[in-house]
Amino acid sequence: MRCALTPALPSELIDFVLKAHATFYIRTLIICQPRPAFIESFCRCFTGDEPLREVPESGWETLNQVAASKQVQSIFVPTVSHLRAILAGLTCGSNDGASNQEPHDISKKKPTILVYGLVSLHEDTSQWSTQGFGNTLSSLLDLGLKTHAGVMIVEERRLDHRESEDFRQQSRARRKSIRINQAWQQEVPLLGGSERRDGLGESAGYSGRTVEVSRILARWFRFDEGSWVDNDEE
């Protein structure tokens, strides 16, 4: 199982990780930002611009559930180099004896690695290219193969993102298609080191050839909506 899901708020991500799924469970959660930054983003889901002390207790309890979970291994990585080092390190016997430690109710489900913010971690770095993505994705997929785990990637959704009424009037299938396309439409240069041009519209971009992130991911991943999208539409 290799899925690229539509963007999620931090609070939606945590709910998804803790949720009981029919065929898989999240064993490893890799968050591509420093822990304090993620916690602040998580809190903003409840408070908006209000002080963080106003976060409801249920919000803190949800975070604590993940931190205390024996089922989920949570890892925070601030840079692409850190992410690749983690992916390489986890391939070395990280699952020895794991089957004896898993709760009975998940022992027959597919363990899954979920990476949150992989694309945004590469932005504005020397690894923002098809080469850079290829190196990272190769390590991630290799980890999945060696540990017999599924792989999911999810980007962070902006808290102020709102869908127009015209969009919501589209058919369910059309909305799904648009969401998936928008999630992975960033243009990436084929080669590292390509210079970015300033400007607006077609004058902006990179000096060399580019490709959409979706085309890179489509070689290995199936695109789908996360369960949190259904919650938004209820």
Side-chain angles (χ1 to χ4, degrees):
M1 176 180 63
R2 297 171 177 174
C3 293
L5 302 178
T6 44
L9 295 172
S11 57
E12 294 168 334
L13 171 78
I14 296 302
D15 286 342
F16 179 76
V17 169
L18 293 174
K19 183 180 178 181
H21 302 279
T23 59
F24 68 92
Y25 70 97
I26 306 300
R27 182 181 62 199
T28 304
L29 172 62
I30 302 176
I31 297 174
C32 297
Q33 53 186 276
R35 181 185 177 90
F38 176 79
I39 292 177
E40 181 172 351
S41 295
F42 176 85
C43 293
R44 295 297 181 194
C45 296
F46 299 92
T47 67
D49 294 327
E50 296 300 316
L52 297 188
R53 66 174 182 273
E54 300 299 329
V55 177
E57 192 167 334
S58 59
W60 295 117
E61 288 176 354
T62 303
L63 273 182
N64 289 334
Q65 275 184 275
V66 176
S69 174
K70 295 180 180 179
Q71 172 187 322
V72 183
Q73 179 184 22
S74 301
I75 303 169
F76 295 86
V77 292
T79 68
V80 174
S81 297
H82 284 85
L83 173 59
R84 291 177 182 168
I86 288 294
L87 295 176
L90 287 175
T91 63
C92 302
S94 60
N95 289 318
D96 292 347
S99 60
N100 296 327
Q101 300 171 7
E102 292 171 1
H104 177 71
D105 62 339
I106 64 171
S107 60
K108 295 183 180 180
K109 296 181 181 181
K110 181 81 169 178
T112 301
I113 303 160
L114 194 159
V115 183
Y116 186 60
L118 182 146
V119 173
S120 58
L121 186 69
H122 287 72
E123 285 191 82
D124 299 321
T125 74
S126 61
Q127 300 305 305
W128 184 246
S129 67
T130 56
Q131 291 175 317
F133 275 117
N135 290 335
T136 304
L137 291 173
S138 176
S139 297
L140 175 59
L141 297 174
D142 189 47
L143 173 60
L145 289 173
K146 290 185 177 181
T147 59
H148 306 287
V151 175
M152 290 182 176
I153 58 174
V154 182
E155 286 300 297
E156 182 173 351
R157 179 161 68 94
R158 290 175 58 88
L159 186 60
D160 60 0
H161 175 73
R162 294 290 184 270
E163 293 172 337
S164 69
E165 187 60 32
D166 288 343
F167 173 84
R168 289 187 170 275
Q169 306 240 340
Q170 302 278 344
S171 69
R172 178 75 174 82
R174 178 61 178 159
R175 291 198 306 270
K176 177 178 179 179
S177 175
I178 293 173
R179 285 193 183 106
I180 290 174
N181 289 335
Q182 289 178 342
W184 313 105
Q185 67 181 356
Q186 301 98 313
E187 292 284 339
V188 180
L190 289 177
L191 301 176
S194 298
E195 294 185 3
R196 191 164 196 163
R197 300 191 303 264
D198 294 330
L200 298 174
E202 295 183 359
S203 64
Y206 293 90
S207 55
R209 292 179 58 193
T210 61
V211 62
E212 282 193 1
V213 171
S214 60
R215 293 187 60 187
I216 301 172
L217 298 178
R219 295 179 58 187
W220 302 284
F221 291 88
R222 173 174 60 87
F223 298 106
D224 206 349
E225 287 183 325
S227 58
W228 49 86
V229 173
D230 294 327
N231 293 335
D232 281 348
E233 294 186 348
E234 289 177 355

